[in-house]
């Protein structure tokens, strides 16, 4: 007999997908049985109360959480998000229900042993409910009480060698794709850069002094597995500046059917014989591919590195050898002004330790945004308000045609008086010689 | 401005604001008349010394004098 009746939540379990309701019920049951004799440090029935308060919220069609607070661990201004229930008598198990963000390991690689340690800690000192991974990428621990915060922080930093992540007006936990560890498309070592910047910017991660949140994300190639281009204030996307490497024999093997397109990813149904014209060449967004007899040709200077052809024929086409990354800035979700994708700021930069050039750009952007950004204004909004040209000025970068997404919709770059020979003054008589009034 | 002077200025300015206990970092930088990076050094130290404390909604962070405001009372009381 459950502690609270939850007919509406039960109904959610009936759909075809895995249900978070079932997960919470499972954890509730495991806590009730406590087969491992854990000395739970927060109420044993916390999970039942989560279900109870959620059911009540569905019934009332309003939240019963109070978000935010002063709770945290000493010296850190992020990583803990206070949450309280506004019906603590009815649901004492979730009277405090704070969230902890845990900095995920690079590429989200962990051993099962490490995961077990994290989960054991969280069962002991928290609700046992996690979110792998939050939209920033972190491991998210959902629900504990104030006295447990310092204890968890101590255990994590001293025994698990792991830090809290970012929240609030901080640098958020930087997040990266698996990159070179597993992926042949990686144009730079995403994990190395992510780790380096995480360590370099510890103060920005833990002590909030930004106008609002700021996210770094690292994608090894334009496939953008961590969706940096859509979500990060600064996205680092791998690219190359020489030519796509073509193995003509392998191209023929795809055409002949010996190699499965997309590495066999869509073979669940019969799509007919592979047609290179229809499935690759005609779908190239810049139309820079063609067949010349049995040879596949690419006009590389037109290629915009969309990755389509490489994804379809990975054995035949490979990323170039002169690799680095592009930096795009200003992406964000739609709270104000609608969603925004990143804008190209640095078309190509080498990604080599100690990454000084990259850091220089980051810090110039921060200096500008920290001074000029309004409270709760994301970088992308400041870029819109003051203009892309201003961003180029503060980063001391030269305008480049590759920054123009499409003619007439990008912010124009205007000449300034000091950049024009003779300035704005002109000899009116000379002018009138050619132009009537 | 040296640290002690800055501390005095923050405490006296913040405690004078009636009905407002949470401040953005920018507000503090303005009070200190300092560039954000310099202001941050002072503000960090004020937090270390427990003169100021962080408040976070999860998405935004603010600062307040330690113990000031309704939230502090409610959270301490729990
Ligand atoms: S973003 Fe590119 S490099 Fe990174 S995992 Fe995805 S496909 Fe591979
Ligand atoms: S990567 Fe995209 S743009 Fe470049 S050649 Fe292949 S399909 Fe065309």
């Amino acid at each position: 007999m459950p502690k609270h009746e939850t007919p509406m939540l039960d109904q959610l379990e009936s759909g075809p997908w895995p249900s978070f309701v079932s997960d919470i019920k499972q954890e509730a049951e495991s806590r009730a049985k406590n087969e491992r004799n854990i000395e739970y440090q927060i109420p044993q029935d916390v999970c039942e109360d989560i279900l109870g308060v959620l059911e009540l919220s569905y019934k009332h069609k309003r939240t019963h959480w109070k978000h935010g607070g002063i709770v945290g661990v000493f010296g850190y201004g992020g990583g803990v998000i206070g949450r309280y229930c506004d019906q603590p008598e009815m649901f004492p198990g979730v009277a405090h229900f704070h969230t902890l963000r845990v900095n995920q390991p690079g590429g989200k690689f962990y051993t099962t042993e490490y995961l077990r340690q994290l989960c054991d800690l969280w069962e002991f000192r928290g609700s046992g409910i996690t979110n792998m991974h939050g939209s920033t990428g972190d491991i998210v621990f959902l629900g504990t009480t104030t006295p447990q915060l310092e204890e968890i922080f101590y255990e994590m930093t001293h025994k698990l060698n792991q830090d809290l992540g970012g929240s609030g007006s901080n640098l958020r936990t930087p997040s990266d794709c698996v990159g070179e560890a597993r992926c042949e498309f990686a144009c730079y070592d995403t994990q190395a850069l992510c780790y380096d910047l995480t360590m370099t910017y510890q103060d920005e991660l833990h002590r909030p002094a930004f106008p609002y949140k700021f996210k770094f994300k690292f994608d090894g190639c334009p496939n953008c597995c961590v969706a940096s281009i859509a979500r990060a204030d600064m996205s680092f996307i791998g690219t190359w500046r020489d030519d796509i490497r073509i193995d003509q024999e392998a191209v023929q093997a795809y055409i002949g059917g010996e190699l499965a397109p997309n590495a066999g990813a869509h073979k669940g149904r019969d799509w007919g014989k592979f047609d290179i014209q229809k499935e690759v060449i005609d779908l190239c967004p810049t139309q820079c591919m063609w067949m010349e007899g049995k040879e596949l040709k690419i006009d590389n200077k037109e290629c915009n590195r969309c990755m389509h052809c490489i994804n379809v024929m990975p054995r035949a086409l490979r990323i170039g050898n002169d690799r680095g990354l592009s930096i795009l800035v200003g992406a964000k979700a739609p709270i104000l002004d609608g969603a925004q994708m990143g804008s190209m700021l640095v078309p190509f930069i080498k990604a080599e330790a100690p990454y000084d050039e990259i850091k220089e750009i980051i810090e110039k952007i921060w200096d500008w945004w920290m001074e000029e950004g309004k409270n709760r204004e994301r970088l992308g909004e400041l870029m819109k308000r003051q203009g892309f040209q201003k961003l180029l000025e503060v980063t001391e970068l030269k305008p480049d045609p590759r920054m123009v997404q499409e003619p007439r919709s990008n912010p124009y770059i205007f000449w300034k008086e000091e950049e024009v020979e003779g300035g704005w003054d002109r000899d009116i008589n000379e002018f009138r010689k050619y132009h009537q009034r | 401005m040296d640290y002690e002077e800055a501390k005095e200025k923050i405490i006296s300015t913040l405690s004078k604001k009636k009905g407002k206990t949470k401040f953005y970092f920018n507000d503090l930088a303005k009070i200190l008349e300092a560039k954000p990076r310099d202001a941050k050094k002072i503000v960090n130290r004020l937090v270390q010394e427990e003169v100021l404390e962080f408040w976070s909604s999860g998405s935004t962070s603010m600062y307040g004098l330690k113990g000031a405001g309704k939230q502090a009372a409610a959270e301490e009381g729990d």
Side-chain angles (χ1 to χ4, degrees):
Chain A
M1 182 61 195
K3 184 171 170 194
H4 308 284
E5 290 297 327
T6 55
M8 282 187 269
L9 293 184
D10 300 347
Q11 204 263 327
L12 284 181
E13 292 182 273
S14 64
W17 292 285
S19 164
F20 72 98
V21 175
S22 311
D23 288 346
I24 300 175
K25 283 184 179 170
Q26 191 186 331
E27 182 63 14
E29 211 181 295
S30 142
R31 285 178 82 94
K33 280 199 198 124
N34 194 13
E35 280 169 351
R36 291 196 296 148
N37 290 317
I38 299 165
E39 280 180 51
Y40 293 120
Q41 298 296 301
I42 77 164
Q44 188 164 0
D45 59 358
V46 49
C47 293
E48 318 232 11
D49 281 352
I50 305 175
L51 294 167
V53 72
L54 190 55
E55 180 78 17
L56 189 67
S57 295
Y58 283 4
K59 196 168 138 201
H60 289 165
K61 297 194 164 69
R62 63 181 66 207
T63 183
H64 287 289
W65 295 123
K66 294 187 288 179
H67 241 278
I70 54 173
V71 291
V73 296
F74 189 68
Y76 275 28
V80 178
I81 300 156
R83 172 161 38 188
Y84 301 87
C85 178
D86 70 3
Q87 293 291 350
E89 286 86 29
M90 236 186 288
F91 307 107
V94 293
H96 293 202
F97 198 72
H98 310 320
T99 297
L100 276 134
R101 295 212 176 138
V102 181
N103 195 330
Q104 78 284 5
K108 305 188 185 77
F109 275 106
Y110 18 58
T111 59
T112 49
E113 189 198 359
Y114 171 72
L115 277 181
R116 230 172 246 124
Q117 287 171 331
L118 275 183
C119 290
D120 285 349
L121 172 64
W122 191 235
E123 295 234 280
F124 175 44
R125 297 199 177 274
S127 70
I129 303 289
T130 64
N131 171 359
M132 309 289 280
H133 291 257
S135 53
T136 296
D138 337 57
I139 297 168
V140 180
F141 281 178
L142 291 165
T144 194
T145 58
T146 305
Q148 295 306 313
L149 297 170
E150 289 289 353
E151 306 279 352
I152 294 165
F153 181 58
Y154 184 90
E155 289 277 316
M156 235 165 36
T157 46
H158 290 74
K159 298 199 182 139
L160 302 182
N161 202 12
Q162 194 56 279
D163 199 3
L164 292 186
S167 65
S169 309
N170 280 12
L171 173 62
R172 298 306 182 80
T173 322
S175 119
D176 55 354
C177 76
V178 292
E180 287 179 351
R182 281 184 67 85
C183 184
E184 67 198 44
F185 299 156
C187 299
Y188 70 98
D189 188 344
T190 49
Q191 294 182 50
L193 180 57
C194 183
Y195 181 75
D196 188 297
L197 296 186
T198 303
M199 298 314 274
T200 306
Y201 296 121
Q202 281 287 299
D203 192 53
E204 283 73 11
L205 231 164
H206 297 308
R207 283 168 280 273
F210 287 152
Y212 204 17
K213 61 180 95 168
F214 195 95
K215 301 180 183 176
F216 284 150
K217 290 190 194 296
F218 307 88
D219 277 308
C221 80
N223 276 334
C224 260
C225 291
V226 291
S228 64
I229 195 169
R231 322 190 284 173
D233 298 273
M234 257 182 121
S235 13
F236 300 85
I237 304 177
T239 190
W240 62 92
R241 57 182 168 184
D242 54 348
D243 296 349
I244 292 178
R245 288 171 290 160
I246 308 179
D247 175 344
Q248 297 291 355
E249 254 173 59
V251 173
Q252 287 308 315
Y254 280 106
I255 295 172
E258 293 103 72
L259 291 175
N262 293 292
H266 305 295
K267 68 178 176 212
R269 102 171 222 215
D270 186 9
W271 297 91
K273 193 175 172 330
F274 175 65
D275 180 344
I276 193 169
Q277 187 67 37
K278 205 169 109 216
E279 294 174 48
V280 179
I281 297 176
D282 290 350
L283 296 180
C284 167
T286 60
Q287 299 175 4
C288 67
M289 312 180 85
W290 70 98
M291 292 301 288
E292 242 174 68
K294 291 201 146 202
E295 297 240 303
L296 175 66
K297 298 279 185 193
I298 297 176
D299 183 1
N300 279 278
K301 67 179 192 311
E302 292 298 329
C303 162
N304 69 2
R305 282 82 174 135
C306 81
M307 296 299 289
H308 175 69
C309 60
I310 301 179
N311 289 336
V312 177
M313 307 194 296
R315 295 273 289 275
L317 302 175
R318 291 187 168 83
I319 57 170
N321 279 325
D322 186 7
R323 300 172 204 147
L325 56 84
S326 303
I327 303 179
L328 285 86
V329 288
K332 62 176 203 78
I335 294 185
L336 289 175
D337 271 0
Q340 221 167 282
M341 297 282 265
S343 305
M344 177 66 81
L345 180 67
V346 179
F348 187 90
I349 191 167
K350 280 281 186 188
E352 280 157 7
Y355 311 108
D356 288 337
E357 259 188 293
I358 291 176
K359 288 174 193 166
E360 222 174 273
I361 294 170
I362 293 172
E363 284 163 31
K364 282 177 187 161
I365 290 179
W366 281 348
D367 281 342
W368 175 51
W369 179 54
M370 286 171 79
E371 285 224 10
E372 297 288 325
K374 295 182 185 167
N375 294 327
R376 296 176 62 86
E377 184 173 54
R378 292 284 287 272
L379 176 63
E381 288 147 9
L382 174 63
M383 282 164 54
K384 263 190 163 175
R385 185 161 63 82
Q386 295 202 345
F388 197 77
Q389 188 171 13
K390 182 78 195 168
L391 175 67
L392 292 181
E393 255 167 52
V394 302
T395 47
E396 298 173 84
L397 294 169
K398 288 227 152 51
D400 181 306
R402 288 168 294 185
M403 294 166 185
V404 180
Q405 189 176 9
E406 60 217 13
R408 292 180 182 276
S409 72
N410 255 66
Y412 290 111
I413 305 294
F414 294 104
W415 294 104
K416 285 202 183 130
E417 186 163 8
E418 61 269 22
E419 290 166 338
V420 180
E421 207 182 320
W424 295 157
D425 294 330
R426 63 183 175 197
D427 180 345
I428 191 68
N429 296 325
E430 183 63 19
F431 181 79
R432 283 288 161 244
K433 272 196 219 158
Y434 301 96
H435 305 277
Q436 295 182 14
R437 191 173 278 277
Chain B
M1 194 180 331
D2 75 357
Y3 175 69
E4 287 306 320
E5 206 180 313
K7 180 167 155 182
E8 267 319 299
K9 202 161 175 199
I10 289 281
I11 296 177
S12 66
T13 318
L14 296 195
S15 40
K16 264 187 241 138
K17 305 243 171 181
K18 289 270 172 312
K20 195 174 160 197
T21 54
K22 305 279 175 289
F23 302 86
Y24 285 109
F25 177 81
N26 273 350
D27 303 335
L28 303 184
K30 257 183 229 130
I31 294 170
L32 292 169
E33 296 167 55
K35 292 242 170 215
R37 275 183 201 279
D38 301 323
K40 184 170 182 181
K41 287 191 194 115
I42 299 171
V43 170
N44 276 350
R45 201 162 147 198
L46 288 167
V47 172
Q48 285 297 324
E49 290 188 8
E50 302 191 49
V51 174
L52 293 178
E53 68 188 356
F54 296 115
W55 180 91
S56 167
S57 69
S59 65
T60 322
S61 310
M62 299 180 89
Y63 291 81
L65 287 173
K66 191 169 167 80
K70 244 199 283 176
Q71 187 100 25
E75 289 186 38
E76 292 299 318
D78 277 332

